[in-house]
Amino acid sequence: AQKITQTQPGMFVQEKEAVTLDCTYDTSDQSYGLFWYKQPSSGEMIFLIYQGSYDEQNATEGRYSLNFQKARKSANLVISASQLGDSAMYFCAMREGGGAQKLVFGQGTRLTINP
Amino acid sequence: ETGVTQSPTHLIKTRGQQVTLRCSSQSGHNTVSWYQQALGQGPQFIFQYYREEENGRGNFPPRFSGLQFPNYSSELNVNALELDDSALYLCASSLGLGGGFANTQYFGPGTRLTVL
C-alpha cells in the first residue's frame, strides 16, 4: 500500500530564507506521480509542483523546486526566498498509476514565516 | 476559465440527518474526486467519478454516496450523519484519468461540515 510520511509537524523560518520540507514515500509501483499542495487557513488546497517517477530532472516552478531522490524514495519541497504569504500547511501527496487516480496524502507540515 | 467551486461553504447538521454537498468541476475536466479532511489530518480519498461512473472508492461506508452529472458537476451525499463526519470536504477535478502532469487534481475551497 502506498504511504506518504512527513516528519516535520511544524517549521519556523525567517523571511527571505530558503526552507526544505521533507517527504518520503513508499510504493511498489514503478509509475507514480508526486505532488505538493499548499493549504492556507482558508482551507483550499493549492497545487504547487509535480514530479513524475520517470522524470530525470527535478521539477521547478518559480520559487518552488522538488528535490527528487528516487533511490531514497524522497521528494522534498524547497522554497527559496520565503515570504510571509508562504505561511500555511504543506502536504505531500502521491498518485499511483492504474485504477482510481486517487491521491494519498501525508500528515502535512505547518510552515510559519517570521518577519 | 472558472476553477473548481463548492457549495455550501459551511454547514451545520445534527446526528442522523442527511447532507448533500455540491461541486462544479473546472472547465474541460471530466473527472471529480472527493476527499474528507478531519482536523489536523491530511485528506482521505472518498471516491472518484469519471464520465458519470464511479471509478474507485476509498475506505468509507455505503452511507457515503455520490453522483456525477452530464456537465461533470458532482454531488456527495452522506446519510445518517455521525459526529465523526465533522470535517472539511474537498472536491478536486482533473482533465481525465491517467498519469502525468496533465491529470493533476485541482481542488475547490471545500465545505466545512459540523455535525452536532
Side-chain angles (χ1 to χ4, degrees):
Chain A
Q2 35 181 339
K3 185 179 178 182
I4 296 285
T5 302
Q6 295 181 252
T7 56
Q8 307 153 309
M11 291 275 288
F12 295 85
V13 172
Q14 286 299 118
E15 192 180 7
K16 298 181 185 175
E17 288 184 353
V19 56
T20 297
L21 305 182
D22 294 341
C23 171
T24 57
Y25 61 92
D26 188 21
T27 180
S28 55
D29 267 23
Q30 297 301 309
S31 176
Y32 51 88
L34 296 158
F35 300 81
W36 277 92
Y37 288 87
K38 171 185 178 182
Q39 188 176 43
S41 55
S42 60
E44 182 173 358
M45 282 282 194
I46 300 167
F47 165 70
L48 296 178
I49 196 165
Y50 164 82
Q51 179 85 40
S53 59
Y54 294 117
D55 294 340
E56 294 188 352
Q57 295 205 337
N58 288 339
T60 61
E61 192 67 52
R63 294 187 299 114
Y64 305 108
S65 60
L66 200 152
N67 185 359
F68 181 46
Q69 297 188 43
K70 195 170 181 176
R72 297 180 60 186
K73 292 190 174 178
S74 76
N76 299 338
L77 176 69
V78 180
I79 305 174
S80 63
S82 57
Q83 302 172 356
L84 295 178
D86 294 333
S87 293
M89 284 291 289
Y90 287 80
F91 289 95
C92 179
M94 178 168 62
R95 181 190 65 201
E96 288 186 336
Q101 300 292 301
K102 68 177 183 180
L103 293 172
V104 174
F105 287 84
Q107 291 288 89
T109 296
R110 180 170 295 283
L111 176 64
T112 303
I113 308 298
N114 296 315
Chain B
E1 185 177 284
T2 309
V4 180
T5 60
Q6 291 186 245
S7 63
T9 307
H10 294 88
L11 206 50
I12 300 174
K13 292 285 189 178
T14 55
R15 249 185 329 175
Q17 283 189 313
Q18 177 264 344
V19 69
T20 297
L21 310 183
R22 294 178 175 83
C23 170
S24 290
S25 59
Q26 189 168 313
S27 177
H29 288 188
N30 60 23
T31 304
V32 171
S33 305
W34 285 92
Y35 295 83
Q36 179 196 65
Q37 186 179 20
L39 202 60
Q41 306 287 322
Q44 298 288 317
F45 175 73
I46 302 175
F47 43 56
Q48 182 180 79
Y49 280 85
Y50 170 67
R51 292 187 174 181
E52 302 179 62
E53 297 284 333
E54 186 179 290
N55 183 57
R57 187 179 183 92
N59 190 24
F60 281 82
R63 58 190 186 83
F64 284 77
S65 64
L67 273 177
Q68 188 179 32
F69 300 99
N71 66 354
Y72 304 129
S73 66
S74 178
E75 283 182 358
L76 164 65
N77 299 291
V78 187
N79 292 323
L81 283 167
E82 300 177 0
L83 297 180
D84 283 350
D85 296 333
S86 294
L88 179 67
Y89 287 84
L90 293 163
C91 164
S93 75
S94 53
L95 203 57
L97 299 181
F101 168 75
N103 292 311
T104 293
Q105 293 185 21
Y106 295 91
F107 285 80
T111 293
R112 196 167 294 278
L113 173 65
T114 302
V115 182
L116 302 175

mmCIF file of all heavy atoms in Angstrom, chain A residues 4-33:
data_model
loop_
_atom_site.group_PDB
_atom_site.id
_atom_site.type_symbol
_atom_site.label_atom_id
_atom_site.label_comp_id
_atom_site.label_asym_id
_atom_site.label_seq_id
_atom_site.Cartn_x
_atom_site.Cartn_y
_atom_site.Cartn_z
ATOM 1 N N ILE A 4 2.695 8.035 2.523
ATOM 2 C CA ILE A 4 3.481 9.259 2.496
ATOM 3 C C ILE A 4 3.811 9.644 3.939
ATOM 4 O O ILE A 4 2.921 9.632 4.798
ATOM 5 C CB ILE A 4 2.693 10.402 1.838
ATOM 6 C CG1 ILE A 4 2.410 10.111 0.379
ATOM 7 C CG2 ILE A 4 3.445 11.718 2.013
ATOM 8 C CD1 ILE A 4 3.588 10.264 -0.544
ATOM 9 N N THR A 5 5.054 9.976 4.188
ATOM 10 C CA THR A 5 5.469 10.366 5.535
ATOM 11 C C THR A 5 6.079 11.761 5.509
ATOM 12 O O THR A 5 7.026 12.021 4.763
ATOM 13 C CB THR A 5 6.492 9.373 6.108
ATOM 14 O OG1 THR A 5 5.928 8.050 6.119
ATOM 15 C CG2 THR A 5 6.871 9.745 7.539
ATOM 16 N N GLN A 6 5.519 12.637 6.321
ATOM 17 C CA GLN A 6 6.086 13.975 6.514
ATOM 18 C C GLN A 6 6.434 14.064 7.998
ATOM 19 O O GLN A 6 5.549 14.040 8.847
ATOM 20 C CB GLN A 6 5.076 15.058 6.119
ATOM 21 C CG GLN A 6 4.747 15.038 4.631
ATOM 22 C CD GLN A 6 3.764 16.126 4.254
ATOM 23 O OE1 GLN A 6 2.604 15.845 3.956
ATOM 24 N NE2 GLN A 6 4.218 17.362 4.236
ATOM 25 N N THR A 7 7.712 14.145 8.297
ATOM 26 C CA THR A 7 8.173 14.006 9.680
ATOM 27 C C THR A 7 8.240 15.330 10.442
ATOM 28 O O THR A 7 8.506 15.334 11.638
ATOM 29 C CB THR A 7 9.565 13.365 9.716
ATOM 30 O OG1 THR A 7 10.449 14.160 8.923
ATOM 31 C CG2 THR A 7 9.520 11.943 9.174
ATOM 32 N N GLN A 8 8.011 16.444 9.767
ATOM 33 C CA GLN A 8 8.109 17.754 10.414
ATOM 34 C C GLN A 8 6.709 18.314 10.649
ATOM 35 O O GLN A 8 6.106 18.842 9.731
ATOM 36 C CB GLN A 8 8.893 18.728 9.529
ATOM 37 C CG GLN A 8 10.251 18.232 9.089
ATOM 38 C CD GLN A 8 10.664 18.880 7.761
ATOM 39 O OE1 GLN A 8 9.907 18.868 6.800
ATOM 40 N NE2 GLN A 8 11.869 19.425 7.712
ATOM 41 N N PRO A 9 6.192 18.227 11.866
ATOM 42 C CA PRO A 9 4.850 18.776 12.103
ATOM 43 C C PRO A 9 4.831 20.292 11.913
ATOM 44 O O PRO A 9 3.843 20.849 11.440
ATOM 45 C CB PRO A 9 4.557 18.420 13.559
ATOM 46 C CG PRO A 9 5.539 17.368 13.913
ATOM 47 C CD PRO A 9 6.746 17.575 13.040
ATOM 48 N N GLY A 10 5.934 20.968 12.314
ATOM 49 C CA GLY A 10 5.985 22.412 12.195
ATOM 50 C C GLY A 10 7.392 22.882 11.875
ATOM 51 O O GLY A 10 8.382 22.278 12.289
ATOM 52 N N MET A 11 7.455 23.964 11.093
ATOM 53 C CA MET A 11 8.748 24.568 10.746
ATOM 54 C C MET A 11 8.615 26.080 10.908
ATOM 55 O O MET A 11 7.594 26.659 10.519
ATOM 56 C CB MET A 11 9.115 24.260 9.292
ATOM 57 C CG MET A 11 9.454 22.820 9.024
ATOM 58 S SD MET A 11 11.165 22.476 9.379
ATOM 59 C CE MET A 11 11.969 23.318 8.010
ATOM 60 N N PHE A 12 9.669 26.691 11.462
ATOM 61 C CA PHE A 12 9.688 28.147 11.622
ATOM 62 C C PHE A 12 10.914 28.673 10.891
ATOM 63 O O PHE A 12 12.027 28.211 11.138
ATOM 64 C CB PHE A 12 9.740 28.531 13.099
ATOM 65 C CG PHE A 12 8.513 28.128 13.854
ATOM 66 C CD1 PHE A 12 8.395 26.848 14.371
ATOM 67 C CD2 PHE A 12 7.461 29.016 14.030
ATOM 68 C CE1 PHE A 12 7.251 26.467 15.058
ATOM 69 C CE2 PHE A 12 6.322 28.652 14.721
ATOM 70 C CZ PHE A 12 6.214 27.364 15.230
ATOM 71 N N VAL A 13 10.691 29.646 9.999
ATOM 72 C CA VAL A 13 11.767 30.154 9.151
ATOM 73 C C VAL A 13 11.694 31.674 9.090
ATOM 74 O O VAL A 13 10.596 32.251 9.092
ATOM 75 C CB VAL A 13 11.634 29.550 7.730
ATOM 76 C CG1 VAL A 13 12.603 30.175 6.766
ATOM 77 C CG2 VAL A 13 11.850 28.040 7.782
ATOM 78 N N GLN A 14 12.848 32.300 9.010
ATOM 79 C CA GLN A 14 12.896 33.745 8.830
ATOM 80 C C GLN A 14 12.585 34.101 7.387
ATOM 81 O O GLN A 14 12.988 33.397 6.446
ATOM 82 C CB GLN A 14 14.280 34.294 9.186
ATOM 83 C CG GLN A 14 14.582 34.347 10.677
ATOM 84 C CD GLN A 14 13.608 35.253 11.422
ATOM 85 O OE1 GLN A 14 12.874 34.798 12.295
ATOM 86 N NE2 GLN A 14 13.603 36.521 11.054
ATOM 87 N N GLU A 15 11.876 35.194 7.216
ATOM 88 C CA GLU A 15 11.566 35.700 5.876
ATOM 89 C C GLU A 15 12.851 35.811 5.056
ATOM 90 O O GLU A 15 13.907 36.167 5.575
ATOM 91 C CB GLU A 15 10.900 37.067 6.010
ATOM 92 C CG GLU A 15 10.268 37.607 4.756
ATOM 93 C CD GLU A 15 9.618 38.964 4.978
ATOM 94 O OE1 GLU A 15 9.789 39.520 6.082
ATOM 95 O OE2 GLU A 15 8.955 39.455 4.064
ATOM 96 N N LYS A 16 12.741 35.465 3.774
ATOM 97 C CA LYS A 16 13.816 35.528 2.775
ATOM 98 C C LYS A 16 14.775 34.330 2.853
ATOM 99 O O LYS A 16 15.626 34.187 1.968
ATOM 100 C CB LYS A 16 14.601 36.837 2.851
ATOM 101 C CG LYS A 16 13.743 38.058 2.563
ATOM 102 C CD LYS A 16 14.541 39.351 2.630
ATOM 103 C CE LYS A 16 13.618 40.548 2.469
ATOM 104 N NZ LYS A 16 14.330 41.833 2.636
ATOM 105 N N GLU A 17 14.649 33.514 3.865
ATOM 106 C CA GLU A 17 15.478 32.314 3.917
ATOM 107 C C GLU A 17 14.867 31.210 3.057
ATOM 108 O O GLU A 17 13.663 31.237 2.765
ATOM 109 C CB GLU A 17 15.619 31.812 5.358
ATOM 110 C CG GLU A 17 16.507 32.670 6.226
ATOM 111 C CD GLU A 17 16.693 32.078 7.608
ATOM 112 O OE1 GLU A 17 16.026 31.077 7.939
ATOM 113 O OE2 GLU A 17 17.506 32.635 8.367
ATOM 114 N N ALA A 18 15.687 30.228 2.680
ATOM 115 C CA ALA A 18 15.184 29.048 1.984
ATOM 116 C C ALA A 18 14.746 28.016 3.022
ATOM 117 O O ALA A 18 15.266 27.985 4.144
ATOM 118 C CB ALA A 18 16.266 28.469 1.084
ATOM 119 N N VAL A 19 13.768 27.201 2.633
ATOM 120 C CA VAL A 19 13.282 26.178 3.557
ATOM 121 C C VAL A 19 13.054 24.868 2.795
ATOM 122 O O VAL A 19 12.640 24.902 1.625
ATOM 123 C CB VAL A 19 11.983 26.629 4.268
ATOM 124 C CG1 VAL A 19 10.903 26.994 3.273
ATOM 125 C CG2 VAL A 19 11.494 25.585 5.243
ATOM 126 N N THR A 20 13.357 23.761 3.439
ATOM 127 C CA THR A 20 13.138 22.440 2.849
ATOM 128 C C THR A 20 12.135 21.677 3.689
ATOM 129 O O THR A 20 12.317 21.520 4.901
ATOM 130 C CB THR A 20 14.452 21.632 2.776
ATOM 131 O OG1 THR A 20 15.373 22.314 1.925
ATOM 132 C CG2 THR A 20 14.193 20.247 2.200
ATOM 133 N N LEU A 21 11.079 21.234 3.056
ATOM 134 C CA LEU A 21 10.054 20.419 3.715
ATOM 135 C C LEU A 21 10.242 18.970 3.267
ATOM 136 O O LEU A 21 10.268 18.693 2.063
ATOM 137 C CB LEU A 21 8.655 20.923 3.352
ATOM 138 C CG LEU A 21 8.388 22.407 3.637
ATOM 139 C CD1 LEU A 21 6.951 22.757 3.276
ATOM 140 C CD2 LEU A 21 8.680 22.750 5.082
ATOM 141 N N ASP A 22 10.322 18.066 4.232
ATOM 142 C CA ASP A 22 10.661 16.679 3.932
ATOM 143 C C ASP A 22 9.436 15.835 3.586
ATOM 144 O O ASP A 22 8.340 16.027 4.148
ATOM 145 C CB ASP A 22 11.372 16.040 5.132
ATOM 146 C CG ASP A 22 12.724 16.665 5.409
ATOM 147 O OD1 ASP A 22 13.269 17.325 4.497
ATOM 148 O OD2 ASP A 22 13.239 16.500 6.531
ATOM 149 N N CYS A 23 9.652 14.889 2.681
ATOM 150 C CA CYS A 23 8.602 13.942 2.307
ATOM 151 C C CYS A 23 9.260 12.649 1.872
ATOM 152 O O CYS A 23 10.143 12.657 0.995
ATOM 153 C CB CYS A 23 7.760 14.507 1.167
ATOM 154 S SG CYS A 23 6.585 13.328 0.450
ATOM 155 N N THR A 24 8.878 11.546 2.466
ATOM 156 C CA THR A 24 9.300 10.243 1.977
ATOM 157 C C THR A 24 8.050 9.452 1.623
ATOM 158 O O THR A 24 6.960 9.702 2.155
ATOM 159 C CB THR A 24 10.128 9.456 3.000
ATOM 160 O OG1 THR A 24 9.376 9.302 4.204
ATOM 161 C CG2 THR A 24 11.435 10.167 3.305
ATOM 162 N N TYR A 25 8.194 8.512 0.695
ATOM 163 C CA TYR A 25 7.040 7.775 0.219
ATOM 164 C C TYR A 25 7.371 6.301 0.107
ATOM 165 O O TYR A 25 8.542 5.913 0.065
ATOM 166 C CB TYR A 25 6.559 8.339 -1.125
ATOM 167 C CG TYR A 25 7.589 8.263 -2.226
ATOM 168 C CD1 TYR A 25 7.651 7.174 -3.081
ATOM 169 C CD2 TYR A 25 8.511 9.295 -2.411
ATOM 170 C CE1 TYR A 25 8.596 7.107 -4.088
ATOM 171 C CE2 TYR A 25 9.460 9.237 -3.412
ATOM 172 C CZ TYR A 25 9.503 8.139 -4.247
ATOM 173 O OH TYR A 25 10.446 8.066 -5.245
ATOM 174 N N ASP A 26 6.335 5.511 0.063
ATOM 175 C CA ASP A 26 6.504 4.066 -0.073
ATOM 176 C C ASP A 26 5.508 3.567 -1.102
ATOM 177 O O ASP A 26 4.301 3.825 -0.977
ATOM 178 C CB ASP A 26 6.267 3.379 1.275
ATOM 179 C CG ASP A 26 6.633 1.910 1.223
ATOM 180 O OD1 ASP A 26 7.417 1.520 0.332
ATOM 181 O OD2 ASP A 26 6.136 1.147 2.078
ATOM 182 N N THR A 27 5.992 2.885 -2.106
ATOM 183 C CA THR A 27 5.143 2.314 -3.127
ATOM 184 C C THR A 27 5.876 1.171 -3.802
ATOM 185 O O THR A 27 7.102 1.165 -3.859
ATOM 186 C CB THR A 27 4.731 3.370 -4.172
ATOM 187 O OG1 THR A 27 3.897 2.758 -5.152
ATOM 188 C CG2 THR A 27 5.947 3.964 -4.871
ATOM 189 N N SER A 28 5.105 0.225 -4.321
ATOM 190 C CA SER A 28 5.707 -0.871 -5.084
ATOM 191 C C SER A 28 5.538 -0.642 -6.583
ATOM 192 O O SER A 28 6.022 -1.429 -7.402
ATOM 193 C CB SER A 28 5.072 -2.206 -4.680
ATOM 194 O OG SER A 28 3.668 -2.134 -4.820
ATOM 195 N N ASP A 29 4.853 0.447 -6.944
ATOM 196 C CA ASP A 29 4.653 0.766 -8.350
ATOM 197 C C ASP A 29 5.899 1.394 -8.946
ATOM 198 O O ASP A 29 6.651 2.086 -8.243
ATOM 199 C CB ASP A 29 3.489 1.745 -8.510
ATOM 200 C CG ASP A 29 2.182 1.024 -8.753
ATOM 201 O OD1 ASP A 29 2.079 -0.154 -8.386
ATOM 202 O OD2 ASP A 29 1.267 1.640 -9.314
ATOM 203 N N GLN A 30 6.089 1.179 -10.248
ATOM 204 C CA GLN A 30 7.190 1.828 -10.967
ATOM 205 C C GLN A 30 6.757 3.191 -11.502
ATOM 206 O O GLN A 30 7.565 4.088 -11.677
ATOM 207 C CB GLN A 30 7.646 0.945 -12.131
ATOM 208 C CG GLN A 30 8.219 -0.394 -11.689
ATOM 209 C CD GLN A 30 9.415 -0.224 -10.787
ATOM 210 O OE1 GLN A 30 10.346 0.498 -11.111
ATOM 211 N NE2 GLN A 30 9.398 -0.884 -9.633
ATOM 212 N N SER A 31 5.449 3.316 -11.768
ATOM 213 C CA SER A 31 4.916 4.544 -12.329
ATOM 214 C C SER A 31 4.055 5.246 -11.293
ATOM 215 O O SER A 31 3.052 4.696 -10.824
ATOM 216 C CB SER A 31 4.081 4.225 -13.576
ATOM 217 O OG SER A 31 3.475 5.395 -14.070
ATOM 218 N N TYR A 32 4.444 6.442 -10.932
ATOM 219 C CA TYR A 32 3.687 7.201 -9.939
ATOM 220 C C TYR A 32 4.014 8.680 -10.097
ATOM 221 O O TYR A 32 4.966 9.067 -10.780
ATOM 222 C CB TYR A 32 3.998 6.736 -8.505
ATOM 223 C CG TYR A 32 5.475 6.669 -8.171
ATOM 224 C CD1 TYR A 32 6.146 7.786 -7.670
ATOM 225 C CD2 TYR A 32 6.201 5.496 -8.371
ATOM 226 C CE1 TYR A 32 7.494 7.728 -7.384
ATOM 227 C CE2 TYR A 32 7.559 5.430 -8.080
ATOM 228 C CZ TYR A 32 8.194 6.545 -7.580
ATOM 229 O OH TYR A 32 9.532 6.491 -7.305
ATOM 230 N N GLY A 33 3.191 9.496 -9.478
ATOM 231 C CA GLY A 33 3.412 10.929 -9.501
ATOM 232 C C GLY A 33 3.448 11.462 -8.083
ATOM 233 O O GLY A 33 2.761 10.955 -7.193
#
